[in-house]
Each structure stands twice: as C-alpha cells, then as structure tokens.
Amino acid sequence: AKAAVGGRFQFFREEMNQAATERLLIESSLRQALARNEFRVFYQPQLDLASGRIKGMEALVRWRHPELGIVSPARFIPIAEETGQIIDIGKWVLREACRQAREWNADAGSALVVAVNVSAKQFEHGCFATQVRQVLEETGLPAHQLELEITESVIMDRPDHVVSVMKELRELGVRFSIDDFGTGYSSLSQLKRFPIDTLKIDQSFTRDIGLDEGGTAITRAVIALGHSLRLQVVAEGVETTEQQRFLAQHGCHGMQGYLFSRPVEPAAFGALLSMHVPS
Ligand code: C2E
Ligand code: CA
Ligand code: CA
Ligand code: CA
C-alpha cells in the first residue's frame, strides 16, 4: 500500500512539475513571441439573424509556439495579463485586426465591423484611447467599424476611469460590447452609465437554450433587456439550428458560433465573404 501511495504521489509531483515547466516555458517564450512573429489573428463571422448576412467578425488571437504548437488564448492571455505583456500583444492584435478589416473593405466592398477583445490591463494603461486613435489613423479603418469587447469585470474595476476612456473613444465613433454578459457581477444601475452598443450573451446560456429552464430564461431576459435599453444583442456559441431558431424568434439581433463557422484564418474568412449568399 505504501508503494502505491508513494507511486501516486510521484505521479502527482511529475504532473505538477510538468505544469510548472510548461508555464515557465510559456512565460519565457511569450517575451519573444511578438518579435518572432508567432501570433496570428483568426476571425469568426458574426451574422445578422434577420437577414442571414455576415455583418462583422470577432478577432481572436492564436499563438504558434515553436515547441508547443498552437497555444490557446485561454492558456496564455491570463499569463500575459499577469506579466503586463498583454499591453504589447493587445496593441498588436488591434492593429492587425484593423488593418485586415480595412483590406476587406477594399476587396469585398463591404464595411464589416471588427470586434477586438480588450483586457482590463489595457484600459488601465494611461494612453489606451490615444493608442486606439493612432491605430485607426495608421490603418485608415473608419472608427464606426471597430467594436471593442470588454467584460463586466473591466467596467467594475475602475468605473470612473473606464467610463471616461469609453466616452472619449465613443466620440470618435468606436463601438463597445459587453462580452460574456450575465456571467459577471455588474449591476444594471452601473451598466446604464456606460456608452455600450451591444450585449453578448455568454455561450454558457446559449448552450442551455431548450435544455435548461434557467439558461433559457436568462437568454430571453437578456434579449428583452437589450430591446428596452436599445442595445444590440449577439448570442455567442451558437451550435444548433434549434438555438438559432429560438434566438431569431425572440428578436436577438446577431449570432456567432460553430453552426455557421469556427474562427478561421484570414484567407478562409476572405473566401467565406466572397462565397457567402445569405439564406
Ligand atoms: P471570448 O472572447 O469569449 O471568445 C469566444 C470563444 O468561444 C473563442 O475561443 C471562440 O473560438 C469560442 N467559440 C466560438 N464559437 C463557439 C461555439 O459555437 N462553441 C464553442 N464551444 N466555442 C465557440 P478562443 O478563440 O479560444 O478564445 C478564448 C478566450 O481568449 C476569448 O473568449 C477571450 O476571452 C480570450 N481572447 C482571445 N483573443 C484575445 C485577444 O486578442 N485579446 C484578449 N484580451 N483576449 C483574447
Ligand atoms: Ca470576446
Ligand atoms: Ca465571450
Ligand atoms: Ca469568455
């Protein structure tokens, strides 16, 4: 019995070591990732539910690590936030996404809205509004084609500072959405203060449509809230036609999810754009 316990402990320790080693590897190679051009931006289409048209896309960063392969943002973004590297990575993603959206304006003759995720750290950073303004100027993307996705925690972190930065950017025409809406702790009275255009229903609620009464009720309530506050509502993580039908019936404006497309590399997104005939 002693040996078995010892063996299990040994196994546990190896697992721990492996996790710690991987984290160290990620942390140290993250420092060179930008200079080595290892990041890519993938795009997931956002569809208008009423017309079936592609109205925009969310930019999602990918990291091609030389040894680990593709590292998920869920794995490295939290580390980049801790170390502060998110400032440079976030700025790179923003510029790349705006440049690409501007290029699709010219190619496809369409004016799609590109949604870019922004971390709390980026907002706290003194010159975030200036950075965004610079990127828009450099890339030539009209401000109304940029939407910044922030979470409730960003807003609740330093509400007075955040609201002033948002208002400054809003004046340029930049749009804002609340990501993962319903999973955070913001109060409605707080939300009202912020210049928000869109609520994104978290995929944990979308998944429950038709399966779980609570999740279905939350989805219905968020759509109704959006209507009464005159906000756009976009559902994330739409994987089934049942979910799509429910959302359309309840007047949800947009959807995003594997049902239509996974996040794809730019060339594949460009192909989607040129082939896409609304159903
Ligand atoms: P998020 O912003 O909530 O992005 C949605 C995530 O759901 C993406 O994962 C997307 O690939 C995935 N997804 C989309 N449709 C479906 C679906 O139908 N089913 C399922 N199961 N999943 C779906 P991804 O790309 O791995 O990104 C994970 C998270 O990493 C993002 O969650 C976001 O919080 C963060 N992230 C990604 N790119 C960036 C970035 O450039 N900056 C920052 N700050 N965070 C980023
Ligand atoms: Ca997002
Ligand atoms: Ca989300
Ligand atoms: Ca999320």
Side-chain angles (χ1 to χ4, degrees), residues 123 147-148 150 166 169-170 174-177 195-198:
F123 248 90
E147 183 161 280
L148 298 176
I150 59 181
M166 285 174 78
L169 289 168
R170 215 343 164 64
V174 174
R175 305 161 55 88
F176 286 94
S177 61
I196 295 159
D197 302 279
T198 306

Side-chain angles (χ1 to χ4, degrees), residues 44 58-62 72-74 77 81 86 93 117-119 122 149 179-180 203 236-239 256-259 263:
Q44 185 175 39
E58 179 173 1
L60 294 154
V61 70
R62 299 287 179 262
S72 151
I77 293 283
E81 284 173 340
I86 191 66
V93 173
N117 294 283
V118 180
S119 292
Q122 288 173 270
E149 295 199 357
D179 204 358
D180 306 341
Q203 43 189 307
E236 293 191 296
V238 177
E239 294 183 353
Q256 196 183 322
Y258 294 172
L259 176 65

